């Protein structure tokens, strides 16, 4: 079989109808799916990244940035909704790609989703720890730094970060019914706080803070002006990550062909409205320059401090000092639900990949009582928990964004292929205006990817190279469809990825200067050329 062999639609539909103790339990309806999407979307991006993007890149035009990011998500979301109505099975973009673009592309997207789910969950857990410490300090409770920071930040371990990963993982093991109930409560809490912030803050908007609405470009690409708006859109895109996680729960959904489009598009629509209103108030109550510097990571607290009466000396007496503690609680709740849904999405993608033979069988082992992939949850509990314990918080959010943008591009491309190859396949939801909508989804997402920092692309290619190695030496050999005829193609692709990585490293180092080269670029060059040689030899032997 070729590495681009597609998984038959009939097999996928048969898997979606399976029942019994070895299958996932169907407990989710349309409202729980919308809550699941809101739980994943509203969190770190809204409460942290908005201020940094406004202060450093877009100014008050951050609202436009959110609209641009939302447009890309909307076009991709329409494509997700059609796939979810056709293929109501766990795996999200991985499963869709397997049916339309073939096994190798499915592996690429499945491995890529690790960036979106696992890395995001770990990063958010570290931020959760920092906000938890702020809450404790407000209550005059001070925890030792040795137990609340990693070794690179003056401590030994970050126990709060690991604790929230453990708690959310154990909640998932008990089943999506109980975890979705907790998630719904959390969603209600944080949406309420967001609405309170918008309503109360609206009365303190000062129109002078919107002048100029689009600050003039500083002369540096991506810093204010049009390029700043687009760069901010690529960065705040992180705030939309999660609506696609709804599709990973398709196999646990009642009537998924009807409810999956409602959950995906409903959660995206609600969040877009909230984000635009939220950012409008945020940059209206205080000047965007306030969010520059370290304090920009907590923009909501700064905005609340500027909601009040202006005193004769120019200072402001906050009208709602109690709101800051409520916001911190909402942030903690928001982060918790984001971690919950990211962990759920990760385990469900690996569940599908394991059933196809591309990953070890432990990822698809179902608990006899709770009917969840508990071994997969336990493994990620351990790996992500260790990451949270010992890794510093400066894990780039751009890496998660670029991985998700790539996923959206592949899904949008899949709709174009599906409409041509399987025009008569049953659909309860159809993406409108094909091919315009998928092409716009591809174009906008690729456009935003190009505005992300150069080194983010290097990390993405490095991650893809590692994933390619795993597929070549494990997945392709154990695939249930089989890729026995793909050795030559895989070797050429492996050499190509290695060359691309080397090229990007050389270009990046040329920009920064070879005199300041560090160990990591040298390591990447050795690794990339080593892979070129390895796969070149494999290709030669195949001939």
């Amino acid at each position: 079989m070729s590495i681009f062999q597609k998984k038959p639609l009939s097999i996928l539909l048969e898997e979606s109808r399976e029942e019994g103790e070895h299958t996932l339990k169907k407990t989710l309806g349309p409202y729980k799916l919308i809550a699941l999407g809101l739980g994943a979307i509203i969190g770190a991006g809204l409460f942290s990244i908005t201020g940094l993007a406004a202060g450093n890149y877009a100014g008050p035009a951050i609202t436009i940035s959110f609209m641009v990011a939302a447009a890309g998500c909307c076009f991709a979301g329409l494509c997700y909704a059609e796939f979810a109505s056709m293929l109501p099975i766990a795996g999200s973009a991985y499963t869709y790609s397997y049916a339309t673009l073939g096994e190798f592309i499915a592996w690429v997207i499945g491995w890529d989703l690790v960036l979106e789910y696992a890395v995001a969950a770990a990063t958010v857990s570290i931020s959760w720890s920092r906000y938890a410490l702020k809450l404790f300090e407000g209550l005059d409770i001070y925890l030792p730094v040795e137990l609340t920071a990693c070794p690179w930040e003056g401590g030994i371990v970050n126990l709060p970060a690991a604790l929230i990963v453990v708690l959310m993982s154990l909640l998932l093991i008990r089943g999506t019914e109980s975890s979705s109930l907790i998630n719904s409560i959390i969603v209600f809490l944080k949406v309420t706080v967001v609405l309170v912030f918008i309503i109360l803050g609206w009365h303190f908007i000062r129109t002078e803070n919107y002048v100029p609405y689009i600050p003039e470009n500083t002369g540096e690409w991506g810093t204010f002006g049009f390029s700043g708006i687009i760069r901010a859109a690529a960065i705040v895109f992180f705030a939309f990550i999660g609506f696609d996680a709804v599709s990973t729960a398709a196999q646990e959904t009642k009537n998924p062909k009807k409810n999956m489009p409602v959950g995906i598009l409903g959660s995206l629509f609600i969040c877009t409205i909230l984000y635009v209103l939220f950012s409008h108030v945020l940059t209206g109550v205080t000047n965007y320059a306030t969010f520059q510097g370290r304090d920009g990571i907590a923009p909501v607290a700064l905005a609340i401090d500027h909601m009040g009466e202006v005193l004769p000396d120019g200072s402001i007496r906050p009208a709602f000092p109690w709101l800051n503690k409520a916001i911190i609680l909402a942030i903690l709740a928001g982060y918790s639900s984001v971690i919950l849904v990211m962990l759920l999405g990760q385990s469900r993608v690996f569940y599908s990949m394991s059933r196809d033979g591309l990953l070890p069988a432990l990822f698809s082992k179902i608990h006899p009582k709770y009917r969840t992939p508990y071994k997969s949850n336990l493994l990620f509990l351990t790996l992500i928990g260790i990451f949270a314990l010992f890794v510093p918080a400066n894990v780039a959010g751009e890496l998660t964004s670029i991985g998700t943008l790539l996923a959206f591009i592949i899904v949008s491309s899949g709709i174009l292929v599906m409409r041509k190859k399987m025009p008569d396949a049953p659909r309860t939801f159809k993406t409108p205006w094909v091919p315009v909508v998928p092409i716009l989804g591809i174009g906008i997402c690729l456009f935003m990817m190009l505005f992300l920092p150069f080194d983010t692309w290097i990390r993405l290619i490095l991650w893809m190279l590692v994933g390619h190695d795993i597929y070549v030496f494990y997945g392709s050999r154990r695939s249930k469809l089989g890729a026995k005829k793909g050795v030559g193609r895989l070797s050429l692709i492996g050499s190509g990825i290695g060359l691309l990585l080397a090229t990007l490293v050389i270009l990046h180092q040329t920009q920064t200067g070879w005199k300041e080269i560090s160990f990591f670029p040298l390591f990447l060059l050795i690794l990339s050329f080593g892979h070129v040689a390895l796969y070149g030899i494999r290709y030669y032997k195949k001939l």
Side-chain angles (χ1 to χ4, degrees):
M1 295 278 184
S2 167
I3 60 172
F4 297 106
Q5 175 72 18
K6 301 176 182 64
K7 191 171 184 179
L9 191 61
S10 58
I11 294 178
L12 288 168
L13 293 175
E14 183 180 342
E15 290 178 356
S16 71
R17 291 190 289 266
E18 289 180 357
E19 294 183 359
E21 65 177 13
H22 298 295
T23 61
L24 298 172
K25 189 175 181 180
K26 299 181 184 295
T27 61
L28 303 176
Y31 298 111
K32 288 184 178 179
L33 286 173
I34 291 176
L36 193 69
L38 295 177
I41 300 171
I42 300 177
L46 184 65
F47 295 128
S48 297
I49 295 176
T50 305
L52 294 176
N56 298 301
Y57 304 112
I62 187 66
T63 51
I64 302 177
S65 300
F66 270 118
M67 292 178 188
V68 172
C73 289
C74 179
F75 294 131
L78 289 168
C79 297
Y80 265 97
E82 177 171 334
F83 271 126
S85 71
M86 291 178 62
L87 304 171
I89 188 169
S92 181
Y94 162 77
T95 302
Y96 310 154
S97 300
Y98 214 156
T100 56
L101 303 174
E103 181 177 284
F104 178 71
I105 301 300
W107 168 267
V108 170
I109 195 64
W111 185 248
D112 174 64
L113 288 174
V114 177
L115 291 179
E116 179 180 354
Y117 298 140
V119 176
T123 305
V124 173
S125 72
I126 298 170
S127 296
W128 185 96
S129 173
R130 290 188 171 182
Y131 275 101
L133 293 179
K134 288 185 178 181
L135 180 64
F136 288 146
E137 289 171 1
L139 300 173
D140 292 328
I141 300 174
Y142 299 91
L143 301 178
V145 67
E146 291 82 5
L147 302 179
T148 56
C150 70
W152 288 271
E153 295 177 332
I156 299 176
V157 292
N158 193 335
L159 284 180
L163 177 62
I164 190 62
V165 171
V166 171
L167 290 176
M168 294 299 103
S169 298
L170 294 177
L171 187 60
L172 280 176
I173 290 174
R174 288 190 59 84
T176 53
E177 185 171 13
S178 58
S179 59
S180 68
L181 175 62
I182 299 297
N183 180 67
S184 298
I185 296 172
I186 292 173
V187 166
F188 175 79
L189 171 63
K190 61 184 179 181
V191 170
T192 298
V193 173
V194 169
L195 291 174
V196 168
F197 175 82
I198 293 172
I199 294 170
L200 294 181
W202 201 274
H203 299 287
F204 295 96
I205 290 177
R206 300 177 181 86
T207 56
E208 61 268 22
N209 290 325
Y210 295 131
V211 181
Y213 195 73
I214 303 178
E216 186 178 352
N217 184 265
T218 60
E220 180 181 350
W221 180 258
T223 306
F224 303 113
F226 173 77
S227 63
I229 292 174
I230 304 302
R231 170 162 287 186
I235 292 173
V236 299
F237 185 83
F238 183 87
F240 283 99
I241 290 173
F243 82 86
D244 59 312
V246 175
S247 62
T248 66
Q251 215 162 333
E252 296 158 272
T253 301
K254 304 172 186 176
N255 194 6
K257 291 186 177 182
K258 176 183 177 181
N259 293 332
M260 288 306 299
V262 174
I264 292 171
L265 298 177
S267 59
L268 181 58
F269 177 74
I270 293 171
C271 284
T272 299
I273 294 175
L274 289 177
Y275 280 14
V276 171
L277 292 174
F278 186 92
S279 57
H280 180 73
V281 172
L282 190 73
T283 53
V285 297
T286 185
N287 189 273
Y288 69 90
T290 308
F291 305 120
Q292 296 173 355
R294 294 180 60 185
D295 290 340
I297 196 65
V300 180
L302 288 175
I304 292 173
D305 288 339
H306 285 78
M307 294 180 189
E309 177 187 359
V310 179
L311 301 177
D313 62 356
S315 61
I316 296 175
R317 179 187 297 143
F320 312 108
W322 53 270
L323 192 56
N324 258 327
K325 289 184 179 180
I327 288 294
I328 291 179
L329 286 173
I331 291 173
L332 290 174
Y335 281 11
S336 299
S337 61
V338 170
I339 295 168
L340 178 73
V341 181
M342 293 298 103
L343 291 172
L344 182 145
Q346 178 61 76
S347 62
R348 272 44 174 186
V349 170
F350 271 41
Y351 169 82
S352 294
M353 297 175 76
S354 175
R355 293 192 64 179
D356 293 329
L358 303 183
L359 288 173
L362 70 89
F363 289 105
S364 55
K365 294 293 183 182
I366 300 298
H367 195 283
K369 179 180 179 181
Y370 303 123
R371 288 168 62 182
T372 57
Y374 69 107
K375 288 190 176 181
S376 180
N377 287 129
L378 288 173
L379 179 64
F380 284 112
L381 179 157
T382 303
L383 295 178
I384 299 176
I386 292 174
F387 187 94
L389 278 173
F390 297 107
V391 175
N394 58 351
V395 177
E398 291 92 342
L399 188 59
T400 306
S401 292
I402 198 171
T404 309
L405 286 165
L406 178 60
F408 288 2
I409 289 173
I410 294 177
V411 169
S412 298
S413 302
I415 286 294
L416 296 174
V417 175
M418 183 71 86
R419 287 293 183 91
K420 184 176 181 180
K421 300 291 186 181
M422 305 176 187
D424 300 323
R427 298 166 169 85
T428 57
F429 177 88
K430 294 186 70 173
T431 303
W433 306 310
V434 174
V436 176
V437 167
I439 290 175
L440 286 174
I442 294 169
I444 293 175
C445 290
L446 180 59
F447 190 56
M448 286 190 285
M449 285 179 73
L450 295 175
F451 279 78
L452 287 169
F454 200 90
D455 55 353
T456 304
W457 282 86
I458 293 176
R459 289 192 288 267
L460 175 65
I461 301 303
L462 173 62
W463 184 259
M464 290 297 113
L465 184 61
V466 173
H468 186 76
D469 291 344
I470 296 174
Y471 178 73
V472 169
F473 297 105
Y474 184 91
S476 64
R477 298 180 179 182
R478 292 168 173 79
S479 167
K480 292 183 179 180
L481 288 184
K484 308 303 181 185
K485 299 180 180 179
V487 175
R489 286 181 175 178
L490 288 174
S491 297
L492 287 176
I493 293 171
S495 294
I497 297 174
L499 282 174
L500 178 59
L501 178 61
T503 301
L504 291 177
V505 172
I506 291 172
L507 289 174
H508 184 256
Q509 200 60 43
T510 301
Q511 289 181 348
T512 58
W514 288 95
K515 292 182 179 180
E516 300 179 2
I517 189 169
S518 60
F519 168 79
F520 190 60
L522 287 175
F523 169 77
L524 290 180
L525 287 174
I526 294 172
L527 181 70
S528 56
F529 285 122
H531 275 77
V532 172
L534 170 66
Y535 286 114
I537 293 172
R538 282 175 57 86
Y539 182 76
Y540 177 78
K541 288 184 177 180
K542 178 63 179 177
L543 295 177

